[in-house]
Amino acid sequence: MAAEEDKLASLNDLSEIVKKVRARTPARLLAGRSGAGYRTNTHLELREAHAAARDAVRAELNLLTDLGDDFVQRWDFVCSSVSSDDQR
């Protein structure tokens, strides 16, 4: 009986460690797997985050409308433009 309680205690400790690790990083650590791939929910979350990241990289940024005039002046940002037809 004591061995089972020790095993349960160590699982609870591991669960707390996992929660603490996940709280400190946006990385998907210890997400778990189902067979050779991620679980469906984890896989869909990964795809959603990847799509959002791609959209953010490809979106145009207007300093004044996106960040506000006060922020731009405070940090002394400079506007520039790209003259290339292909912005990849």
Side-chain angles (χ1 to χ4, degrees):
M1 189 72 151
E4 281 185 35
E5 289 176 5
D6 288 341
K7 191 182 262 188
L8 288 175
S10 68
L11 288 176
N12 287 337
D13 291 342
L14 180 60
S15 178
E16 287 302 314
I17 291 170
V18 169
K19 287 178 187 176
K20 287 179 182 178
V21 168
R22 286 183 178 167
R24 294 189 57 103
T25 178
R28 285 164 184 83
L29 302 172
L30 306 168
R33 293 189 172 269
S34 179
Y38 288 114
R39 294 182 178 124
T40 302
N41 193 39
T42 303
H43 184 76
L44 292 174
E45 288 173 357
L46 284 167
R47 289 186 57 130
E48 180 182 24
H50 185 254
R54 288 180 58 116
D55 289 346
V57 167
R58 295 173 192 261
E60 295 214 13
L61 177 67
N62 184 320
L63 291 177
L64 294 177
T65 57
D66 293 334
L67 301 176
D69 190 44
D70 293 337
F71 188 84
V72 171
Q73 287 182 7
R74 178 178 175 208
W75 293 100
D76 198 26
F77 283 130
V78 178
C79 293
S80 66
S81 62
V82 176
S83 62
S84 172
D85 292 334
D86 185 10
Q87 295 183 6
R88 284 192 244 167

